[in-house]
Amino acid sequence: MALPQRQSHIVKQKTGPDDPILEGTLQEALKQVSSEDVVAIADELAERHARLFHGLETDSPQGAVAAQFASSFADIASAVTHTRANARTITNHFAPGDYTIFEKLLHGELPTARRVAAFVEKLNALDTRLALELASGLLHNTSPNEHWLWTRWLWDPTTGTGILPLLAGSTHNLLADNLADGYTRVGAVTAMSMKFAEGTGLWTDELVSNEKRAQFANSAFLACAYNVYLYGTTSWRLSREFNNLLPSLPNMARKLLGLKKVNEEPPMVE
């Protein structure tokens, strides 16, 4: 596994307690993901896009979107959330006759941010964070060049946590008065965070030179970046024996993005 080219902007004092041990642990966590891992995850997202979301990108005949959701909704639900429980909640929330709601989300006439807000507000029986993950996950996986994710691990305004404020250095640019503005702000900070990506050694020409792969470069990088911090702070607090039971950092990133883990050799016990 190749190591990052130079010290990552992900690893900085403002991302956690001012503790040199934590700083060193974060550096160790960063060594557990490589640029090849980010490329592989982006490729897996591109393959899933072609297999599961192809045909939803453009306006379809009336009822075509609902028909596609009816045939593969359980798989779609698993793709837009990071736990099986959440996927079941989404799947059980909708009856076949409800799938027409997704046509307005994907191809409605309103600006995207307002479509997201309207969709979430209509699903008031769902947890707002889960409804946002469903809405933004559908849009991003359908048209990744035009839309971005808004997940709780990117930015959770209820707790003030996520990888985006860590990379941006504050929550200032993420604070919003409503869902539509919040969605727009998440997109702006996501784009800004790519400046940090270029200094990590994980953002490479190989990642962005392929058109299909490049569509998912941001998501692949941000999921890995979040897990560098999560894994680093977890390892900082837990024993080495427990850390050896954790999944690999790339597989933790895959889980966040609704991807299946890849087989890997069991960790070495020292």
Side-chain angles (χ1 to χ4, degrees):
M1 179 179 294
L3 299 184
Q5 296 169 358
R6 60 190 179 89
Q7 183 175 9
S8 172
H9 291 287
I10 299 170
V11 182
K12 49 188 176 182
Q13 294 291 347
K14 71 176 74 173
T15 61
D18 186 8
D19 188 304
I21 298 177
L22 173 58
E23 182 78 1
T25 305
L26 288 170
Q27 291 288 355
E28 286 299 313
L30 185 59
K31 296 176 183 178
Q32 298 189 40
V33 62
S34 70
S35 60
E36 290 83 2
D37 292 319
V38 183
V39 167
I41 291 170
D43 281 341
E44 291 161 31
L45 291 170
E47 184 279 328
R48 186 177 68 187
H49 165 75
R51 171 175 48 83
L52 194 57
F53 295 91
H54 179 70
L56 295 175
E57 300 99 323
T58 57
D59 290 325
S60 305
Q62 185 68 27
V65 170
Q68 185 164 340
F69 274 84
S71 66
S72 56
F73 191 59
D75 290 334
I76 290 173
S78 295
V80 299
T81 187
H82 64 285
T83 69
R84 292 180 181 176
N86 284 344
R88 284 194 299 268
T89 297
I90 291 173
T91 303
N92 294 335
H93 185 81
F94 295 92
D98 298 330
Y99 296 146
T100 55
I101 190 176
F102 298 114
E103 294 185 3
K104 289 186 177 180
L105 172 67
L106 295 174
H107 305 301
E109 296 180 355
L110 293 174
T112 303
R114 291 176 59 187
R115 298 203 311 267
V116 169
F119 180 87
V120 173
E121 289 163 1
K122 193 167 185 176
L123 299 182
N124 54 20
L126 276 181
D127 178 87
T128 298
R129 296 178 301 175
L130 186 55
L132 280 169
E133 289 170 350
L134 173 58
S136 68
L138 288 173
L139 286 164
H140 176 65
N141 281 286
T142 299
S143 302
N145 282 330
E146 300 176 18
H147 308 301
W148 49 87
L149 291 175
W150 183 358
T151 67
R152 67 196 75 187
W153 57 267
L154 285 169
W155 166 236
D156 187 345
T158 61
T159 59
T161 58
I163 190 59
L164 290 181
L166 290 173
L167 294 179
S170 75
T171 63
H172 175 73
N173 290 327
L174 289 159
L175 300 178
D177 295 327
N178 56 68
L179 291 173
D181 185 36
Y183 177 79
T184 301
R185 288 174 176 267
V186 166
V189 176
T190 296
M192 182 177 65
S193 69
M194 292 307 101
K195 295 179 181 179
F196 293 103
E198 294 171 359
T200 64
L202 301 179
W203 192 268
T204 60
D205 290 341
E206 184 182 5
L207 179 64
V208 297
S209 59
N210 179 283
E211 182 178 353
K212 293 181 180 179
R213 176 189 301 148
Q215 296 181 100
F216 295 99
N218 288 13
S219 298
F221 168 77
L222 289 170
C224 288
Y226 176 79
N227 278 292
V228 166
Y229 183 75
L230 179 66
Y231 195 102
T233 54
T234 300
S235 297
W236 180 55
R237 293 184 176 93
L238 301 177
S239 68
R240 181 176 296 274
E241 289 76 14
F242 186 86
N243 289 329
N244 284 331
L245 300 177
L246 294 175
S248 70
L249 193 151
N251 271 340
M252 292 169 70
R254 286 183 172 92
K255 181 177 176 62
L256 287 183
L257 295 167
L259 294 168
K260 294 181 180 180
K261 71 177 181 178
V262 299
N263 293 328
E264 55 191 17
E265 295 180 2
M268 298 292 293
V269 179
E270 297 183 4

